[in-house]
Amino acid sequence: MSFAPPAGIPIVMINFFLISSDLFSARFFMRWFAVILVGLSLFSACAPDPRLEPNNIFWPMPPDPPRIKYVQSIYTEDDIGRVYSFKEKLFGKDYTDNMSRPYGVSARHNKIIVTDVVVKNVLVFNTDTKRLSFVQSAGAVRNPSAAVTDVSGMIYVADAGSGKIAVFTPDGEYKTSFFLNDSRIVALAINESFGRLYALDRARHRVIVLSLEGQQLFEFGSQGDDNGQFNIPLGIAVDKQGSVYVLDNGNFRVQVFDPDGKYLFKFGEVGDGPGLFANPKGIAVDSDRHIYVTDAAFSNFQIFDQQGNVVMYIGSLGPSAGQLHLPAGISIDENDRIYIADQFNKRIQVFQYYKASQ
């Protein structure tokens, strides 16, 4: 069957319309193809691939059995498995989740709480929901230095800038504050069995002990270098037996007390070798009661037994996995995962402690 144009319409005009139609279809296709390519590029750019982490970094080195393993570094919520919506994959998140200078860290019940001394906020990484949230301080906190959470999920924030402890609900809403006159609270620890909150006061070189409702129960310590005295204390931890460990920075030592503040023993002195301190910043205790101390001068953390003997040290100056740059706060969760605030690398590094029987 042949095509015959209507009377009065030249063949040339018919060919022109057919060619124009083909060109229009080609242009339409190319435009949408370009849009799809742009969308795919934005999709891939705004939804980052999981960070590749080494799986073979252990301490001590073979042939000794491993006791500490490097797990990962947390820079943003992407590193805890953040799931993006389609819109976020195209256009990205509408907030910033980078850390500027993480100083304090506390980990418990799948929440990693970080105090950032540059942005002056408290970040809560929830490893269950894979999301990051912030406490809604609304001016309630001027200079957060440390934060801890109790078994109910309430968050207690040490505000070094205003001499108080701010309290937030598990959802991060401000509830109340415990005011401690003439103080500079720089670290916190909780004893759940006794219902006590231990607050470390750098300004008056003491430990203030409160109930979880904010009632001041007693205090211990004063400035000096005798047993039971402190000089610029910076870190505090409580073990499963209730013993209290105070990092006595200016005296280059760790002092250990019973739950009521009775002095038990001490270890450490100034120096640049294993078991010695130069600028100790944070302290934590694992389930076997090993004592971990970060040292900003050495860019490492040291592990001690219950008698204060050094077991091993981990870390060196640098940005790689297992390296540190001005480490500060340290926390160990109920599963013996170790979290270190790696300040100048702008991240939280995570390690795993293995028991001797594992």
Side-chain angles (χ1 to χ4, degrees), residues 8-125:
I9 300 179
I11 292 292
V12 174
M13 186 174 293
I14 295 297
N15 289 336
F16 173 80
F17 284 125
L18 290 174
I19 293 170
S20 298
S21 177
D22 289 340
L23 289 173
F24 176 79
S25 298
R27 290 190 186 121
F28 181 82
F29 172 78
M30 292 302 295
R31 285 175 182 173
W32 275 104
F33 184 71
V35 169
I36 291 171
L37 287 178
V38 171
L40 289 173
S41 65
L42 288 172
F43 188 94
S44 60
C46 296
D49 293 328
R51 194 183 307 277
L52 296 178
E53 295 279 12
N55 194 38
N56 59 350
I57 302 179
F58 298 92
W59 295 267
M61 299 289 289
D64 294 319
R67 303 302 300 276
I68 304 291
K69 177 186 178 181
Y70 170 81
V71 177
Q72 72 168 128
S73 292
I74 300 173
Y75 294 86
T76 70
E77 65 180 348
D78 296 332
D79 298 309
I80 61 170
R82 168 74 145 87
V83 178
Y84 284 68
S85 67
F86 181 77
K87 178 182 177 181
E88 289 171 331
K89 289 177 181 178
L90 288 177
F91 303 108
K93 294 177 285 191
D94 58 1
Y95 57 91
T96 300
D97 59 352
N98 293 302
M99 289 177 275
S100 294
R101 190 174 170 185
Y103 184 84
V105 61
S106 177
R108 186 174 188 181
H109 301 315
N110 301 315
K111 286 186 178 181
I112 307 164
I113 304 175
V114 180
T115 51
D116 192 310
V117 295
V118 170
V119 300
K120 300 187 184 302
N121 207 344
V122 181
L123 297 76
V124 182
F125 293 90

Side-chain angles (χ1 to χ4, degrees), residues 92-298:
K93 294 177 285 191
D94 58 1
Y95 57 91
T96 300
D97 59 352
N98 293 302
M99 289 177 275
S100 294
R101 190 174 170 185
Y103 184 84
V105 61
S106 177
R108 186 174 188 181
H109 301 315
N110 301 315
K111 286 186 178 181
I112 307 164
I113 304 175
V114 180
T115 51
D116 192 310
V117 295
V118 170
V119 300
K120 300 187 184 302
N121 207 344
V122 181
L123 297 76
V124 182
F125 293 90
N126 189 319
T127 58
D128 279 340
T129 63
K130 314 298 184 186
R131 298 297 294 265
L132 168 69
S133 60
F134 304 87
V135 299
Q136 305 302 313
S137 58
V141 178
R142 287 173 49 193
N143 188 14
S145 55
V148 294
T149 181
D150 64 20
V151 69
S152 70
M154 298 295 291
I155 301 170
Y156 303 82
V157 179
D159 187 358
S162 58
K164 69 182 181 184
I165 301 168
V167 185
F168 298 84
T169 68
D171 295 328
E173 295 182 3
Y174 175 73
K175 182 180 179 182
T176 188
S177 291
F178 308 152
F179 290 91
L180 305 169
N181 295 331
D182 303 318
S183 68
R184 185 180 179 191
I185 307 302
V186 294
L188 299 170
I190 286 181
N191 183 327
E192 292 284 1
S193 300
F194 286 69
R196 290 177 178 175
L197 178 65
Y198 293 82
L200 194 60
D201 180 6
R202 173 176 173 165
R204 296 178 62 181
H205 312 273
R206 60 178 176 164
V207 176
I208 307 169
V209 185
L210 306 93
S211 71
L212 297 182
E213 293 73 37
Q215 178 186 0
Q216 294 188 37
L217 304 175
F218 61 93
E219 63 181 65
F220 59 93
S222 60
Q223 187 170 18
D225 57 9
D226 289 339
N227 294 341
Q229 291 187 311
F230 309 119
N231 184 20
I232 313 177
L234 291 183
I236 191 167
V238 174
D239 70 15
K240 61 183 181 181
Q241 305 297 328
S243 296
V244 181
Y245 302 78
V246 177
L247 182 59
D248 190 4
N249 175 278
N251 287 323
F252 306 97
R253 64 187 182 184
V254 172
Q255 295 195 69
V256 186
F257 302 83
D258 74 6
D260 296 323
K262 178 183 177 181
Y263 171 83
L264 298 177
F265 70 96
K266 65 185 177 184
F267 65 89
E269 58 183 287
V270 65
D272 60 2
L276 305 177
F277 301 126
N279 188 12
K281 288 286 190 179
I283 189 167
V285 185
D286 68 25
S287 64
D288 284 337
R289 304 182 76 195
H290 294 108
I291 306 155
Y292 297 63
V293 179
T294 59
D295 199 303
F298 301 148

